[in-house]
Amino acid sequence: MFRDKAHLLKRIKMALGIYSVKLPVTDDELFQDVIIDTTLPVFSTFIPYEYQLLVDLNEIRITDRYAVDDSSLISNCYQIPNIFPKQRCLGINNIRPYIEYNGMMMTSSYETIDSYQVLATGQTLANLASAMIPPQTFKFIPPNKFEIYNQVLYNNKVYLDLTFTHSPELFTIPETARESFYELALLDAKAYLWNHLKYYSSIQTAYGQMDLKVDNWENAESERKDLLERWSDNYHLDSVPAIFYI
């Protein structure tokens, strides 16, 4: 697997047999056009970067555009903080209430008959409420907003389970998924270089004339399509629906 972006680019060039060849594009252009603009966005839709963020809904609430002032109407629309400026938010997997125990972590704090009676009563009321009150759901609104429907929270703090594209530095890609990333990046590089070099039969190097054999890359687009179809049949099994009960 690759260690960092420089190592990834080295592996790709060595696999293509162009590591010591001076290309019409620089390494920076190759990395930007292939890895950042092509491979990274597509790969992130299959294995996104997941991040849990604790927020206060009052602090990120978007005031209703029809409100006369900030207090006349309560909006159910919120804006996700821009915590990763170089990464795009892809969605929200879940929204969970933040619960504070206030130090009551030992069972001895509530091991009484009254406590169990209160618990039983509370559970009964919760069961009744769940049957009568519409479920709480949310909707992600690209690129960085979301709405909560039928909101009933005991406090305004919630955990947002967010998904993002991976960092351009590639360090957010899990090590267990880096070989898959490399596989897609290699096909993207083949397709990119085929379009740039298909009119060249050879290229001059410091060691003389070199046959590029770019015809070996002609089927890269078809191979890439097959790879993504195979991923689509498998990776969606671990994905989370777009709307959840809270």
PDB file of all heavy atoms in Angstrom, residues 10-44:
ATOM      1  N   LYS A  10       4.666   7.687  -7.092  1.00  0.00           N
ATOM      2  CA  LYS A  10       5.810   6.858  -7.488  1.00  0.00           C
ATOM      3  C   LYS A  10       5.354   5.461  -7.893  1.00  0.00           C
ATOM      4  O   LYS A  10       5.801   4.919  -8.914  1.00  0.00           O
ATOM      5  CB  LYS A  10       6.811   6.783  -6.335  1.00  0.00           C
ATOM      6  CG  LYS A  10       8.015   5.904  -6.621  1.00  0.00           C
ATOM      7  CD  LYS A  10       8.968   5.845  -5.426  1.00  0.00           C
ATOM      8  CE  LYS A  10      10.143   4.908  -5.703  1.00  0.00           C
ATOM      9  NZ  LYS A  10      11.073   4.845  -4.536  1.00  0.00           N
ATOM     10  N   ARG A  11       4.454   4.865  -7.109  1.00  0.00           N
ATOM     11  CA  ARG A  11       3.952   3.526  -7.428  1.00  0.00           C
ATOM     12  C   ARG A  11       3.238   3.506  -8.771  1.00  0.00           C
ATOM     13  O   ARG A  11       3.390   2.577  -9.568  1.00  0.00           O
ATOM     14  CB  ARG A  11       2.999   3.039  -6.327  1.00  0.00           C
ATOM     15  CG  ARG A  11       3.673   2.510  -5.085  1.00  0.00           C
ATOM     16  CD  ARG A  11       2.664   1.740  -4.230  1.00  0.00           C
ATOM     17  NE  ARG A  11       2.135   0.576  -4.949  1.00  0.00           N
ATOM     18  CZ  ARG A  11       1.147  -0.190  -4.480  1.00  0.00           C
ATOM     19  NH1 ARG A  11       0.591   0.083  -3.306  1.00  0.00           N
ATOM     20  NH2 ARG A  11       0.729  -1.237  -5.162  1.00  0.00           N
ATOM     21  N   ILE A  12       2.442   4.539  -9.039  1.00  0.00           N
ATOM     22  CA  ILE A  12       1.697   4.601 -10.298  1.00  0.00           C
ATOM     23  C   ILE A  12       2.653   4.713 -11.477  1.00  0.00           C
ATOM     24  O   ILE A  12       2.522   3.984 -12.472  1.00  0.00           O
ATOM     25  CB  ILE A  12       0.716   5.800 -10.277  1.00  0.00           C
ATOM     26  CG1 ILE A  12      -0.427   5.535  -9.290  1.00  0.00           C
ATOM     27  CG2 ILE A  12       0.151   6.060 -11.667  1.00  0.00           C
ATOM     28  CD1 ILE A  12      -1.365   6.708  -9.098  1.00  0.00           C
ATOM     29  N   LYS A  13       3.646   5.580 -11.379  1.00  0.00           N
ATOM     30  CA  LYS A  13       4.586   5.778 -12.484  1.00  0.00           C
ATOM     31  C   LYS A  13       5.444   4.537 -12.711  1.00  0.00           C
ATOM     32  O   LYS A  13       5.767   4.202 -13.852  1.00  0.00           O
ATOM     33  CB  LYS A  13       5.446   7.010 -12.206  1.00  0.00           C
ATOM     34  CG  LYS A  13       4.653   8.316 -12.189  1.00  0.00           C
ATOM     35  CD  LYS A  13       5.527   9.524 -11.913  1.00  0.00           C
ATOM     36  CE  LYS A  13       6.417   9.830 -13.092  1.00  0.00           C
ATOM     37  NZ  LYS A  13       7.170  11.098 -12.897  1.00  0.00           N
ATOM     38  N   MET A  14       5.788   3.858 -11.626  1.00  0.00           N
ATOM     39  CA  MET A  14       6.568   2.632 -11.783  1.00  0.00           C
ATOM     40  C   MET A  14       5.725   1.526 -12.416  1.00  0.00           C
ATOM     41  O   MET A  14       6.219   0.763 -13.258  1.00  0.00           O
ATOM     42  CB  MET A  14       7.114   2.188 -10.423  1.00  0.00           C
ATOM     43  CG  MET A  14       8.189   3.094  -9.846  1.00  0.00           C
ATOM     44  SD  MET A  14       8.868   2.511  -8.272  1.00  0.00           S
ATOM     45  CE  MET A  14       9.728   1.025  -8.802  1.00  0.00           C
ATOM     46  N   ALA A  15       4.458   1.427 -12.033  1.00  0.00           N
ATOM     47  CA  ALA A  15       3.578   0.409 -12.609  1.00  0.00           C
ATOM     48  C   ALA A  15       3.347   0.649 -14.099  1.00  0.00           C
ATOM     49  O   ALA A  15       3.181  -0.304 -14.870  1.00  0.00           O
ATOM     50  CB  ALA A  15       2.246   0.393 -11.863  1.00  0.00           C
ATOM     51  N   LEU A  16       3.357   1.926 -14.511  1.00  0.00           N
ATOM     52  CA  LEU A  16       3.138   2.268 -15.915  1.00  0.00           C
ATOM     53  C   LEU A  16       4.442   2.280 -16.716  1.00  0.00           C
ATOM     54  O   LEU A  16       4.417   2.474 -17.930  1.00  0.00           O
ATOM     55  CB  LEU A  16       2.461   3.637 -16.022  1.00  0.00           C
ATOM     56  CG  LEU A  16       1.063   3.747 -15.393  1.00  0.00           C
ATOM     57  CD1 LEU A  16       0.521   5.153 -15.549  1.00  0.00           C
ATOM     58  CD2 LEU A  16       0.111   2.740 -16.031  1.00  0.00           C
ATOM     59  N   GLY A  17       5.580   2.107 -16.039  1.00  0.00           N
ATOM     60  CA  GLY A  17       6.855   2.096 -16.726  1.00  0.00           C
ATOM     61  C   GLY A  17       7.319   3.460 -17.190  1.00  0.00           C
ATOM     62  O   GLY A  17       8.060   3.568 -18.172  1.00  0.00           O
ATOM     63  N   ILE A  18       6.913   4.512 -16.499  1.00  0.00           N
ATOM     64  CA  ILE A  18       7.263   5.878 -16.918  1.00  0.00           C
ATOM     65  C   ILE A  18       7.972   6.627 -15.795  1.00  0.00           C
ATOM     66  O   ILE A  18       8.007   7.853 -15.802  1.00  0.00           O
ATOM     67  CB  ILE A  18       6.001   6.665 -17.352  1.00  0.00           C
ATOM     68  CG1 ILE A  18       4.966   6.681 -16.212  1.00  0.00           C
ATOM     69  CG2 ILE A  18       5.391   6.051 -18.610  1.00  0.00           C
ATOM     70  CD1 ILE A  18       3.782   7.576 -16.485  1.00  0.00           C
ATOM     71  N   TYR A  19       8.514   5.908 -14.827  1.00  0.00           N
ATOM     72  CA  TYR A  19       9.109   6.571 -13.654  1.00  0.00           C
ATOM     73  C   TYR A  19      10.274   7.479 -14.041  1.00  0.00           C
ATOM     74  O   TYR A  19      10.443   8.557 -13.476  1.00  0.00           O
ATOM     75  CB  TYR A  19       9.571   5.528 -12.640  1.00  0.00           C
ATOM     76  CG  TYR A  19      10.122   6.128 -11.364  1.00  0.00           C
ATOM     77  CD1 TYR A  19       9.288   6.832 -10.496  1.00  0.00           C
ATOM     78  CD2 TYR A  19      11.465   6.007 -11.039  1.00  0.00           C
ATOM     79  CE1 TYR A  19       9.777   7.395  -9.334  1.00  0.00           C
ATOM     80  CE2 TYR A  19      11.967   6.565  -9.869  1.00  0.00           C
ATOM     81  CZ  TYR A  19      11.121   7.260  -9.025  1.00  0.00           C
ATOM     82  OH  TYR A  19      11.611   7.825  -7.870  1.00  0.00           O
ATOM     83  N   SER A  20      11.069   7.077 -15.020  1.00  0.00           N
ATOM     84  CA  SER A  20      12.232   7.871 -15.425  1.00  0.00           C
ATOM     85  C   SER A  20      12.012   8.604 -16.739  1.00  0.00           C
ATOM     86  O   SER A  20      12.956   9.115 -17.332  1.00  0.00           O
ATOM     87  CB  SER A  20      13.469   6.974 -15.536  1.00  0.00           C
ATOM     88  OG  SER A  20      13.244   5.936 -16.481  1.00  0.00           O
ATOM     89  N   VAL A  21      10.739   8.658 -17.178  1.00  0.00           N
ATOM     90  CA  VAL A  21      10.418   9.297 -18.451  1.00  0.00           C
ATOM     91  C   VAL A  21       9.924  10.711 -18.210  1.00  0.00           C
ATOM     92  O   VAL A  21       9.068  10.940 -17.346  1.00  0.00           O
ATOM     93  CB  VAL A  21       9.345   8.485 -19.212  1.00  0.00           C
ATOM     94  CG1 VAL A  21       8.952   9.189 -20.506  1.00  0.00           C
ATOM     95  CG2 VAL A  21       9.848   7.080 -19.497  1.00  0.00           C
ATOM     96  N   LYS A  22      10.438  11.673 -18.972  1.00  0.00           N
ATOM     97  CA  LYS A  22       9.969  13.049 -18.871  1.00  0.00           C
ATOM     98  C   LYS A  22       8.677  13.179 -19.672  1.00  0.00           C
ATOM     99  O   LYS A  22       8.670  13.066 -20.905  1.00  0.00           O
ATOM    100  CB  LYS A  22      11.014  14.025 -19.393  1.00  0.00           C
ATOM    101  CG  LYS A  22      10.620  15.495 -19.225  1.00  0.00           C
ATOM    102  CD  LYS A  22      11.742  16.419 -19.627  1.00  0.00           C
ATOM    103  CE  LYS A  22      11.332  17.875 -19.526  1.00  0.00           C
ATOM    104  NZ  LYS A  22      10.878  18.247 -18.157  1.00  0.00           N
ATOM    105  N   LEU A  23       7.568  13.421 -18.994  1.00  0.00           N
ATOM    106  CA  LEU A  23       6.256  13.473 -19.625  1.00  0.00           C
ATOM    107  C   LEU A  23       5.882  14.905 -20.018  1.00  0.00           C
ATOM    108  O   LEU A  23       6.474  15.866 -19.515  1.00  0.00           O
ATOM    109  CB  LEU A  23       5.206  12.917 -18.659  1.00  0.00           C
ATOM    110  CG  LEU A  23       5.370  11.463 -18.217  1.00  0.00           C
ATOM    111  CD1 LEU A  23       4.345  11.124 -17.149  1.00  0.00           C
ATOM    112  CD2 LEU A  23       5.222  10.527 -19.412  1.00  0.00           C
ATOM    113  N   PRO A  24       4.885  15.060 -20.886  1.00  0.00           N
ATOM    114  CA  PRO A  24       4.408  16.395 -21.244  1.00  0.00           C
ATOM    115  C   PRO A  24       3.713  17.113 -20.079  1.00  0.00           C
ATOM    116  O   PRO A  24       3.406  18.301 -20.178  1.00  0.00           O
ATOM    117  CB  PRO A  24       3.419  16.138 -22.377  1.00  0.00           C
ATOM    118  CG  PRO A  24       3.710  14.778 -22.865  1.00  0.00           C
ATOM    119  CD  PRO A  24       4.259  14.023 -21.708  1.00  0.00           C
ATOM    120  N   VAL A  25       3.430  16.383 -18.994  1.00  0.00           N
ATOM    121  CA  VAL A  25       2.801  16.982 -17.807  1.00  0.00           C
ATOM    122  C   VAL A  25       3.734  16.790 -16.610  1.00  0.00           C
ATOM    123  O   VAL A  25       4.481  15.812 -16.537  1.00  0.00           O
ATOM    124  CB  VAL A  25       1.427  16.344 -17.505  1.00  0.00           C
ATOM    125  CG1 VAL A  25       0.445  16.648 -18.616  1.00  0.00           C
ATOM    126  CG2 VAL A  25       1.557  14.841 -17.308  1.00  0.00           C
ATOM    127  N   THR A  26       3.693  17.733 -15.682  1.00  0.00           N
ATOM    128  CA  THR A  26       4.520  17.635 -14.485  1.00  0.00           C
ATOM    129  C   THR A  26       3.867  16.696 -13.478  1.00  0.00           C
ATOM    130  O   THR A  26       2.679  16.346 -13.595  1.00  0.00           O
ATOM    131  CB  THR A  26       4.700  19.014 -13.842  1.00  0.00           C
ATOM    132  OG1 THR A  26       3.416  19.484 -13.368  1.00  0.00           O
ATOM    133  CG2 THR A  26       5.275  20.016 -14.839  1.00  0.00           C
ATOM    134  N   ASP A  27       4.620  16.314 -12.458  1.00  0.00           N
ATOM    135  CA  ASP A  27       4.071  15.462 -11.404  1.00  0.00           C
ATOM    136  C   ASP A  27       2.938  16.167 -10.669  1.00  0.00           C
ATOM    137  O   ASP A  27       1.944  15.529 -10.298  1.00  0.00           O
ATOM    138  CB  ASP A  27       5.179  15.070 -10.417  1.00  0.00           C
ATOM    139  CG  ASP A  27       6.090  13.994 -10.982  1.00  0.00           C
ATOM    140  OD1 ASP A  27       5.819  13.522 -12.105  1.00  0.00           O
ATOM    141  OD2 ASP A  27       7.065  13.620 -10.292  1.00  0.00           O
ATOM    142  N   ASP A  28       3.089  17.477 -10.456  1.00  0.00           N
ATOM    143  CA  ASP A  28       2.032  18.234  -9.777  1.00  0.00           C
ATOM    144  C   ASP A  28       0.751  18.244 -10.604  1.00  0.00           C
ATOM    145  O   ASP A  28      -0.354  18.100 -10.061  1.00  0.00           O
ATOM    146  CB  ASP A  28       2.488  19.671  -9.509  1.00  0.00           C
ATOM    147  CG  ASP A  28       3.548  19.750  -8.422  1.00  0.00           C
ATOM    148  OD1 ASP A  28       3.652  18.788  -7.634  1.00  0.00           O
ATOM    149  OD2 ASP A  28       4.266  20.772  -8.360  1.00  0.00           O
ATOM    150  N   GLU A  29       0.883  18.422 -11.918  1.00  0.00           N
ATOM    151  CA  GLU A  29      -0.293  18.404 -12.791  1.00  0.00           C
ATOM    152  C   GLU A  29      -0.918  17.017 -12.816  1.00  0.00           C
ATOM    153  O   GLU A  29      -2.158  16.877 -12.801  1.00  0.00           O
ATOM    154  CB  GLU A  29       0.100  18.830 -14.202  1.00  0.00           C
ATOM    155  CG  GLU A  29       0.467  20.298 -14.329  1.00  0.00           C
ATOM    156  CD  GLU A  29       1.009  20.643 -15.707  1.00  0.00           C
ATOM    157  OE1 GLU A  29       1.583  19.743 -16.367  1.00  0.00           O
ATOM    158  OE2 GLU A  29       0.873  21.808 -16.119  1.00  0.00           O
ATOM    159  N   LEU A  30      -0.089  16.004 -12.856  1.00  0.00           N
ATOM    160  CA  LEU A  30      -0.594  14.627 -12.861  1.00  0.00           C
ATOM    161  C   LEU A  30      -1.349  14.323 -11.577  1.00  0.00           C
ATOM    162  O   LEU A  30      -2.438  13.726 -11.608  1.00  0.00           O
ATOM    163  CB  LEU A  30       0.577  13.656 -13.035  1.00  0.00           C
ATOM    164  CG  LEU A  30       0.235  12.164 -13.146  1.00  0.00           C
ATOM    165  CD1 LEU A  30      -0.624  11.895 -14.372  1.00  0.00           C
ATOM    166  CD2 LEU A  30       1.509  11.321 -13.198  1.00  0.00           C
ATOM    167  N   PHE A  31      -0.793  14.745 -10.445  1.00  0.00           N
ATOM    168  CA  PHE A  31      -1.453  14.486  -9.165  1.00  0.00           C
ATOM    169  C   PHE A  31      -2.766  15.265  -9.062  1.00  0.00           C
ATOM    170  O   PHE A  31      -3.777  14.715  -8.599  1.00  0.00           O
ATOM    171  CB  PHE A  31      -0.525  14.881  -8.011  1.00  0.00           C
ATOM    172  CG  PHE A  31      -1.040  14.499  -6.662  1.00  0.00           C
ATOM    173  CD1 PHE A  31      -0.879  13.211  -6.175  1.00  0.00           C
ATOM    174  CD2 PHE A  31      -1.713  15.417  -5.866  1.00  0.00           C
ATOM    175  CE1 PHE A  31      -1.373  12.841  -4.933  1.00  0.00           C
ATOM    176  CE2 PHE A  31      -2.208  15.062  -4.625  1.00  0.00           C
ATOM    177  CZ  PHE A  31      -2.035  13.771  -4.155  1.00  0.00           C
ATOM    178  N   GLN A  32      -2.764  16.528  -9.494  1.00  0.00           N
ATOM    179  CA  GLN A  32      -3.974  17.352  -9.396  1.00  0.00           C
ATOM    180  C   GLN A  32      -5.060  16.831 -10.331  1.00  0.00           C
ATOM    181  O   GLN A  32      -6.221  16.667  -9.927  1.00  0.00           O
ATOM    182  CB  GLN A  32      -3.645  18.803  -9.732  1.00  0.00           C
ATOM    183  CG  GLN A  32      -4.835  19.750  -9.662  1.00  0.00           C
ATOM    184  CD  GLN A  32      -5.406  19.896  -8.267  1.00  0.00           C
ATOM    185  OE1 GLN A  32      -4.658  20.041  -7.308  1.00  0.00           O
ATOM    186  NE2 GLN A  32      -6.720  19.870  -8.147  1.00  0.00           N
ATOM    187  N   ASP A  33      -4.701  16.582 -11.597  1.00  0.00           N
ATOM    188  CA  ASP A  33      -5.704  16.197 -12.592  1.00  0.00           C
ATOM    189  C   ASP A  33      -6.239  14.784 -12.372  1.00  0.00           C
ATOM    190  O   ASP A  33      -7.421  14.523 -12.628  1.00  0.00           O
ATOM    191  CB  ASP A  33      -5.101  16.292 -13.999  1.00  0.00           C
ATOM    192  CG  ASP A  33      -4.770  17.725 -14.393  1.00  0.00           C
ATOM    193  OD1 ASP A  33      -5.272  18.646 -13.722  1.00  0.00           O
ATOM    194  OD2 ASP A  33      -4.002  17.907 -15.351  1.00  0.00           O
ATOM    195  N   VAL A  34      -5.391  13.883 -11.902  1.00  0.00           N
ATOM    196  CA  VAL A  34      -5.809  12.489 -11.746  1.00  0.00           C
ATOM    197  C   VAL A  34      -6.303  12.204 -10.334  1.00  0.00           C
ATOM    198  O   VAL A  34      -7.461  11.814 -10.124  1.00  0.00           O
ATOM    199  CB  VAL A  34      -4.649  11.527 -12.114  1.00  0.00           C
ATOM    200  CG1 VAL A  34      -5.053  10.082 -11.828  1.00  0.00           C
ATOM    201  CG2 VAL A  34      -4.276  11.694 -13.569  1.00  0.00           C
ATOM    202  N   ILE A  35      -5.428  12.395  -9.342  1.00  0.00           N
ATOM    203  CA  ILE A  35      -5.761  11.982  -7.971  1.00  0.00           C
ATOM    204  C   ILE A  35      -6.800  12.909  -7.342  1.00  0.00           C
ATOM    205  O   ILE A  35      -7.833  12.442  -6.824  1.00  0.00           O
ATOM    206  CB  ILE A  35      -4.495  11.947  -7.095  1.00  0.00           C
ATOM    207  CG1 ILE A  35      -3.418  11.068  -7.753  1.00  0.00           C
ATOM    208  CG2 ILE A  35      -4.842  11.439  -5.699  1.00  0.00           C
ATOM    209  CD1 ILE A  35      -3.860   9.655  -8.008  1.00  0.00           C
ATOM    210  N   ILE A  36      -6.560  14.217  -7.378  1.00  0.00           N
ATOM    211  CA  ILE A  36      -7.441  15.162  -6.691  1.00  0.00           C
ATOM    212  C   ILE A  36      -8.760  15.361  -7.431  1.00  0.00           C
ATOM    213  O   ILE A  36      -9.839  15.330  -6.831  1.00  0.00           O
ATOM    214  CB  ILE A  36      -6.729  16.517  -6.501  1.00  0.00           C
ATOM    215  CG1 ILE A  36      -5.453  16.340  -5.674  1.00  0.00           C
ATOM    216  CG2 ILE A  36      -7.665  17.514  -5.807  1.00  0.00           C
ATOM    217  CD1 ILE A  36      -5.669  15.770  -4.305  1.00  0.00           C
ATOM    218  N   ASP A  37      -8.688  15.578  -8.752  1.00  0.00           N
ATOM    219  CA  ASP A  37      -9.898  15.921  -9.506  1.00  0.00           C
ATOM    220  C   ASP A  37     -10.711  14.710  -9.935  1.00  0.00           C
ATOM    221  O   ASP A  37     -11.914  14.834 -10.184  1.00  0.00           O
ATOM    222  CB  ASP A  37      -9.526  16.732 -10.750  1.00  0.00           C
ATOM    223  CG  ASP A  37      -8.958  18.099 -10.411  1.00  0.00           C
ATOM    224  OD1 ASP A  37      -9.111  18.512  -9.245  1.00  0.00           O
ATOM    225  OD2 ASP A  37      -8.367  18.747 -11.297  1.00  0.00           O
ATOM    226  N   THR A  38     -10.087  13.546 -10.045  1.00  0.00           N
ATOM    227  CA  THR A  38     -10.793  12.377 -10.587  1.00  0.00           C
ATOM    228  C   THR A  38     -10.963  11.252  -9.578  1.00  0.00           C
ATOM    229  O   THR A  38     -12.088  10.829  -9.282  1.00  0.00           O
ATOM    230  CB  THR A  38     -10.049  11.843 -11.832  1.00  0.00           C
ATOM    231  OG1 THR A  38      -9.862  12.908 -12.768  1.00  0.00           O
ATOM    232  CG2 THR A  38     -10.852  10.735 -12.498  1.00  0.00           C
ATOM    233  N   THR A  39      -9.853  10.765  -9.026  1.00  0.00           N
ATOM    234  CA  THR A  39      -9.927   9.579  -8.166  1.00  0.00           C
ATOM    235  C   THR A  39     -10.560   9.879  -6.811  1.00  0.00           C
ATOM    236  O   THR A  39     -11.442   9.152  -6.343  1.00  0.00           O
ATOM    237  CB  THR A  39      -8.522   8.988  -7.950  1.00  0.00           C
ATOM    238  OG1 THR A  39      -7.907   8.772  -9.215  1.00  0.00           O
ATOM    239  CG2 THR A  39      -8.605   7.679  -7.186  1.00  0.00           C
ATOM    240  N   LEU A  40     -10.095  10.942  -6.162  1.00  0.00           N
ATOM    241  CA  LEU A  40     -10.527  11.230  -4.793  1.00  0.00           C
ATOM    242  C   LEU A  40     -12.035  11.437  -4.657  1.00  0.00           C
ATOM    243  O   LEU A  40     -12.657  10.853  -3.766  1.00  0.00           O
ATOM    244  CB  LEU A  40      -9.759  12.449  -4.258  1.00  0.00           C
ATOM    245  CG  LEU A  40      -9.768  12.649  -2.747  1.00  0.00           C
ATOM    246  CD1 LEU A  40      -9.054  11.498  -2.050  1.00  0.00           C
ATOM    247  CD2 LEU A  40      -9.088  13.970  -2.384  1.00  0.00           C
ATOM    248  N   PRO A  41     -12.686  12.250  -5.502  1.00  0.00           N
ATOM    249  CA  PRO A  41     -14.140  12.432  -5.348  1.00  0.00           C
ATOM    250  C   PRO A  41     -14.932  11.145  -5.532  1.00  0.00           C
ATOM    251  O   PRO A  41     -15.887  10.886  -4.794  1.00  0.00           O
ATOM    252  CB  PRO A  41     -14.475  13.459  -6.443  1.00  0.00           C
ATOM    253  CG  PRO A  41     -13.198  14.152  -6.744  1.00  0.00           C
ATOM    254  CD  PRO A  41     -12.133  13.112  -6.569  1.00  0.00           C
ATOM    255  N   VAL A  42     -14.536  10.327  -6.518  1.00  0.00           N
ATOM    256  CA  VAL A  42     -15.276   9.081  -6.774  1.00  0.00           C
ATOM    257  C   VAL A  42     -15.058   8.086  -5.647  1.00  0.00           C
ATOM    258  O   VAL A  42     -16.008   7.471  -5.140  1.00  0.00           O
ATOM    259  CB  VAL A  42     -14.841   8.474  -8.129  1.00  0.00           C
ATOM    260  CG1 VAL A  42     -15.477   7.098  -8.315  1.00  0.00           C
ATOM    261  CG2 VAL A  42     -15.225   9.400  -9.270  1.00  0.00           C
ATOM    262  N   PHE A  43     -13.809   7.917  -5.220  1.00  0.00           N
ATOM    263  CA  PHE A  43     -13.513   6.976  -4.136  1.00  0.00           C
ATOM    264  C   PHE A  43     -14.246   7.363  -2.850  1.00  0.00           C
ATOM    265  O   PHE A  43     -14.732   6.494  -2.121  1.00  0.00           O
ATOM    266  CB  PHE A  43     -12.007   6.948  -3.892  1.00  0.00           C
ATOM    267  CG  PHE A  43     -11.584   6.003  -2.792  1.00  0.00           C
ATOM    268  CD1 PHE A  43     -11.425   4.652  -3.043  1.00  0.00           C
ATOM    269  CD2 PHE A  43     -11.356   6.474  -1.515  1.00  0.00           C
ATOM    270  CE1 PHE A  43     -11.050   3.778  -2.026  1.00  0.00           C
ATOM    271  CE2 PHE A  43     -10.975   5.617  -0.497  1.00  0.00           C
ATOM    272  CZ  PHE A  43     -10.829   4.261  -0.747  1.00  0.00           C
ATOM    273  N   SER A  44     -14.362   8.671  -2.590  1.00  0.00           N
ATOM    274  CA  SER A  44     -15.004   9.142  -1.350  1.00  0.00           C
ATOM    275  C   SER A  44     -16.485   8.828  -1.317  1.00  0.00           C
ATOM    276  O   SER A  44     -17.072   8.756  -0.232  1.00  0.00           O
ATOM    277  CB  SER A  44     -14.790  10.652  -1.191  1.00  0.00           C
ATOM    278  OG  SER A  44     -13.419  10.961  -1.027  1.00  0.00           O
TER     279      SER A  44
END
